[in-house]
Amino acid sequence: MILQKKAPMLNLFEAELDAGKTLFSELAKKIRSKKAILLEEKLFFYQLFLELIGKIHFEEKKLSLKLFSPFDQLYRHLKLVHHVRLIRDAFEDDGDVPLSQFAAYEADLEDDKKRVNNELFETVISAPLKIWEDLYLSVYPFVRQLTHFQVNTSTTQLINDEIAFSQIRTKNELDPIALKDVYESLNKIMAIEKVRTTMGLNPIYTEEVHAKINLLTGKLYEWYKNHLFFQHLSHFLRDKEQIEKKYLLLLKTIKKNHKTLTADVVEQSTFLYTHILR
């Protein structure tokens, strides 16, 4: 990837793109959930980066959607692999008895793992390697002459958009969809802050605010893991004519934990967007 003098934003994007391409190549040999989750994080960054470019080059309608579209299917399958990994982790964390006592459910979860891994593998090997080079070449004209002022303006605008969006969400009932949106929005804010500091700009928020955001993000991650587990186990048991007592007790435990976690993240999300991120 040698194309004349590189702007600082282009250096950042190229480093992230090269890391993603390496993970992609490794997944083409063997699917590993850890590497899939890392690649999902890279695609999350690319999508965010394209949004930032779109803020600057606003005359290019739907720029980010157009440039990211070759990665849409890959991103969806990476998320599914991550979901199954989260459910498995929650299953191991929440069970009060050995997992072997839930052999039927464990087998069902293993089947889901194999299915999503196979789907991801098929997506990876069928995707042309040139999508990575094409993305770089598409991004290059839009960032090669970006100034710090433009980056400062676009990142500030995007953070303000995220804050406004989540403030609207927290004024209404925070259902699971809204909580997931808040979680993703907080991740975007922190990623944007990282872009700013990488570019030599001051972060929008103080370290103390960053700590509060990271604390809530961690709790939302635990909530989301529990939420996926609760959904998955409920679906597994839904069509059973008779449900063993141990499954009912497990479901009851998960539901209780879900209620506690939900109350906590709702309260903290509301406080964060009411008193801190304004």
Side-chain angles (χ1 to χ4, degrees):
M1 295 183 178
I2 303 175
L3 289 170
Q4 303 178 11
K5 186 178 178 180
K6 298 168 187 172
M9 280 284 279
L10 195 62
N11 280 326
L12 171 62
F13 184 72
E14 182 175 315
E16 294 290 332
L17 196 65
D18 285 344
K21 187 177 178 181
T22 298
L23 288 165
F24 180 82
S25 298
E26 291 171 351
L27 289 173
K29 299 174 184 175
K30 187 172 184 178
I31 298 299
R32 298 281 190 185
S33 59
K34 183 177 181 180
K35 292 185 183 298
I37 292 168
L38 289 173
L39 182 55
E40 180 195 356
E41 292 173 358
K42 296 302 178 187
L43 264 62
F44 176 84
F45 174 81
Y46 306 155
Q47 199 173 54
L48 173 63
F49 194 91
L50 294 174
E51 279 191 65
L52 290 174
I53 295 173
K55 282 289 182 185
I56 297 168
H57 299 278
F58 54 85
E59 71 283 355
E60 296 282 341
K61 303 298 182 183
K62 299 183 179 180
L63 176 66
S64 61
L65 294 175
K66 181 176 67 175
L67 295 184
F68 191 77
S69 61
F71 294 87
D72 282 337
Q73 186 176 11
L74 174 62
Y75 198 24
R76 286 196 297 271
H77 287 296
L78 290 168
K79 286 182 177 181
L80 290 175
V81 170
H82 194 176
H83 285 174
V84 172
R85 175 63 182 270
L86 288 175
I87 294 166
R88 177 73 193 193
D89 288 348
F91 180 37
E92 293 175 351
D93 293 343
D94 287 0
D96 293 329
V97 295
L99 303 187
S100 58
Q101 293 193 24
F102 299 95
Y105 178 65
E106 190 170 19
D108 183 75
L109 190 53
E110 186 63 24
D111 286 343
D112 280 347
K113 177 182 176 180
K114 291 177 181 177
R115 175 179 55 81
V116 297
N117 281 3
N118 288 337
E119 290 172 352
L120 174 59
F121 185 70
E122 290 296 324
T123 300
V124 170
I125 62 174
S126 63
L129 264 178
K130 70 186 295 290
I131 63 174
W132 299 89
E133 187 73 16
D134 288 346
L135 180 59
Y136 181 81
L137 293 172
S138 297
V139 164
Y140 177 76
F142 293 105
V143 300
R144 63 187 177 89
Q145 293 183 333
L146 285 184
T147 66
H148 278 70
F149 175 77
Q150 288 174 309
V151 175
N152 179 53
T153 301
S154 65
T155 51
T156 301
Q157 288 177 342
L158 194 50
I159 284 180
N160 287 339
D161 289 347
E162 292 300 321
I163 298 298
F165 172 75
S166 292
Q167 283 178 334
I168 292 172
R169 300 294 261 165
T170 53
K171 287 179 181 178
N172 301 305
E173 183 179 356
L174 282 169
D175 59 16
I177 294 176
L179 284 172
K180 182 173 178 291
D181 287 342
V182 169
Y183 171 66
E184 292 179 348
S185 183
L186 290 174
N187 280 324
K188 286 179 69 173
I189 289 170
M190 293 306 292
I192 296 167
E193 290 281 62
K194 184 177 179 180
V195 170
R196 289 180 61 86
T197 55
T198 301
M199 291 292 295
L201 298 169
N202 291 326
I204 300 292
Y205 296 109
T206 64
E207 289 185 9
E208 182 182 2
V209 173
H210 284 180
K212 292 180 185 298
I213 293 174
N214 285 328
L215 179 63
L216 177 55
T217 302
K219 291 190 175 185
L220 281 165
Y221 186 77
E222 290 303 314
W223 166 85
Y224 190 48
K225 186 167 67 172
N226 171 273
H227 177 69
L228 289 172
F229 182 29
F230 181 56
Q231 282 187 321
H232 191 270
L233 182 60
S234 298
H235 185 268
F236 171 75
L237 298 173
R238 185 180 58 187
D239 298 325
K240 299 282 188 294
E241 291 185 6
Q242 290 185 330
I243 301 176
E244 296 178 70
K245 184 178 179 181
K246 61 186 178 183
Y247 280 104
L248 292 174
L249 291 174
L250 178 60
L251 192 64
K252 183 179 179 180
T253 298
I254 300 166
K255 188 174 183 179
K256 180 181 178 182
N257 291 342
H258 187 266
K259 185 176 181 180
T260 301
L261 287 167
T262 300
D264 188 25
V265 294
V266 165
E267 180 181 1
Q268 290 201 34
S269 297
T270 303
F271 178 82
L272 185 71
Y273 284 99
T274 303
H275 297 88
I276 308 297
L277 303 180
R278 295 186 293 176

